[in-house]
Amino acid sequence: MNKQDISNIKLLLSTKKRIVIVPHKNPDGDAIGSTLGLYHYLLKGNHDVKVIAPNDYPNFLKWIPGENTILKHDSQTQECNALINEADIIFTLDFNAFHRTGNMETILSESSAIKIMIDHHQAPDDYATYMFSDVSMSSTCEMIYYFIDMLGDTNKVDSNIATCLYVGIMTDTGSFRFRSTTSRTHEIVAHLIEKGADNTNIHAHVYDSNSYNRLQLLGCALNNLKVIPESKTAYITLSQNELQKYDYKKGDTEGVVNYGLSLDGIVLAAIFIEDKQEGIIKISLRSKGDFSVNELSRAHFNGGGHTNAAGGRSHLSLQDTVEKFISILPSYSKALNNE
Ligand code: 5GP
Ligand code: MN
């Protein structure tokens, strides 16, 4: 995003606009935090602003300021489509291609609104009028802070905006520990705390709100953990039966894949989660160092993401998906053992 883009956007936002903000399907902390952070900022400019999520999100995000105003496209389709069709500007946050919004793909690609993409995933599609895409960023929330800064408005960051942005930076950096966390990230977070982000409380909301069933499900996942030492790989499976047994709710498996990566000497971790309703196996991949799970997922599992965190899916059975995964590991042997 260059200076000309910024001054164009400034001019655009100098008069009241109908604005829709969209995160990716199955929104996570960064997706909800960034959309709501931007929402509160744009409301200060007196715009008509709506956040439209493709679908629902986990309960541990259902306290963030403004969260109760989010529309869900899957259950409020007509209302959402009307808003999209009437929008002057559509911000697309924390994703890089319309298909990442599931069933919203068609209406978004047909919309004639000005599109502004703010995102940190690799290989973005070329749909945006204005694109702020930077894979080195810890989170889209950090980018929203820069966006507000580029517009000369950091003085407008209040406790609502600060709280929303803190959530996404915290969740996407694994609480400020992943490689993408820089001194600048910490400076921004310090500023957010000064502006009213209650860091202890936010952490408690997101991480200390487990149900008993969720911990039991984690126990089951850890029991299923397998290690392939020669490939420095660990993987976890969760079948639909296991999910049902522990009354699985959206978000319950968030972060479970990281337990595999926490094993000493492991470079690649995966979790395979059976979703009978969608007829797919949802895959999450994590890595350490330069081993790119984005590339692995793009090549074999219809997905993508970042170097150290990516997602994908498979239409094979749970067992066949795991077998496919194991069978491709030898072709990555050099990269895995170089780490
Ligand atoms: P997760 O494993 O938490 O679902 O996803 C990890 C990261 O990869 C997230 O940043 C997520 O946005 C991204 N990601 C997940 N699934 C896909 C996918 O199918 N395509 C792309 N491009 N990115 C994905
Ligand atoms: Mn993100």
Side-chain angles (χ1 to χ4, degrees):
M1 194 162 267
N2 59 33
K3 279 204 169 128
Q4 187 60 52
D5 290 343
I6 289 296
S7 63
N8 290 351
I9 292 171
K10 245 185 169 158
L11 185 66
L12 202 61
L13 295 177
S14 65
T15 53
K16 185 169 177 156
K17 292 288 182 305
R18 286 163 299 192
I19 302 176
V20 165
I21 311 174
V22 182
H24 56 77
K25 189 177 171 190
N26 300 323
D28 57 6
D30 191 32
I32 295 298
S34 59
T35 51
L36 288 174
L38 182 64
Y39 165 81
H40 289 295
Y41 167 70
L42 293 170
L43 280 186
K44 295 194 162 201
N46 217 11
H47 302 287
D48 277 334
V49 196
K50 289 279 188 288
V51 175
I52 301 181
N55 62 347
D56 203 6
Y57 40 86
N59 284 336
F60 64 76
L61 300 175
K62 290 190 178 168
W63 59 272
I64 304 175
E67 171 278 316
N68 52 353
T69 68
I70 296 180
L71 297 163
K72 281 129 207 157
H73 188 267
D74 63 348
S75 56
Q76 296 162 281
T77 311
Q78 279 192 345
E79 186 183 353
C80 292
N81 285 350
L83 286 163
I84 292 169
N85 285 331
E86 288 160 11
D88 302 308
I89 306 172
I90 298 177
F91 281 90
T92 67
L93 303 191
D94 201 36
F95 66 90
N96 54 2
F98 284 143
H99 71 82
R100 298 275 293 119
T101 63
N103 289 337
M104 292 179 72
E105 179 176 6
T106 310
I107 184 126
L108 286 176
S109 46
E110 286 171 357
S111 149
S112 55
I114 290 172
K115 316 267 181 357
I116 304 179
M117 175 202 281
I118 303 179
D119 178 52
H120 65 140
H121 293 92
Q122 296 182 2
D125 273 3
D126 186 21
Y127 63 75
T129 324
Y130 299 106
M131 183 154 109
F132 180 21
S133 164
D134 186 342
V135 297
S136 75
M137 289 283 169
S138 72
S139 54
T140 301
C141 280
E142 185 168 342
M143 300 177 76
I144 295 294
Y145 184 91
Y146 287 122
F147 182 68
I148 294 173
D149 190 25
M150 287 189 283
L151 293 171
D153 279 338
T154 47
N155 60 324
K156 290 194 181 159
V157 175
D158 59 13
S159 71
N160 280 342
I161 299 174
T163 301
C164 296
L165 299 186
Y166 189 100
V167 171
I169 299 177
M170 178 185 79
T171 54
D172 258 28
T173 59
S175 298
F176 319 106
R177 73 184 197 274
F178 296 156
R179 281 210 298 182
S180 55
T181 313
T182 64
S183 60
R184 188 79 181 105
T185 313
H186 281 281
E187 280 168 15
I188 289 169
V189 164
H191 188 220
L192 298 179
I193 293 173
E194 270 166 31
K195 292 288 182 174
D198 182 346
N199 50 322
T200 306
N201 206 12
I202 293 172
H203 195 279
H205 268 303
V206 174
Y207 295 115
D208 300 337
S209 56
N210 284 322
S211 64
Y212 182 75
N213 272 328
R214 187 181 183 192
L215 288 190
Q216 295 290 108
L217 180 65
L218 173 62
C220 173
L222 295 180
N223 254 322
N224 293 348
L225 176 68
K226 301 270 188 315
V227 177
I228 307 169
E230 63 274 23
S231 299
K232 298 189 174 173
T233 295
Y235 69 89
I236 290 171
T237 55
L238 281 173
S239 68
Q240 189 80 51
N241 278 345
E242 289 166 330
L243 296 172
Q244 267 157 8
K245 183 170 173 198
Y246 299 108
D247 193 26
Y248 167 81
K249 299 266 182 326
K250 212 175 198 45
D252 280 355
T253 55
E254 197 105 359
V256 175
V257 62
N258 292 316
Y259 284 93
L261 205 61
S262 75
L263 280 167
D264 190 21
I266 291 299
V267 169
L268 169 62
I271 186 166
F272 302 93
I273 301 172
E274 189 174 34
D275 184 339
K276 283 221 162 121
Q277 205 180 340
E278 292 211 22
I280 59 165
I281 307 300
K282 174 80 185 85
I283 304 162
S284 285
L285 298 159
R286 299 291 184 269
S287 67
K288 285 195 194 116
D290 293 333
F291 186 81
S292 173
V293 284
N294 170 54
E295 280 170 30
L296 189 147
S297 186
R298 274 175 198 279
H300 301 284
F301 295 114
N302 298 306
H306 315 277
T307 303
N308 296 131
R313 66 198 58 77
S314 151
H315 292 277
L316 302 171
S317 69
L318 184 56
Q319 196 183 336
D320 288 351
T321 304
V322 170
E323 278 172 18
K324 173 176 169 179
F325 176 70
I326 293 171
S327 75
I328 62 174
L329 289 177
S331 63
Y332 290 95
S333 169
K334 210 168 152 210
L336 287 165
N337 284 293
N338 272 345
E339 273 311 319

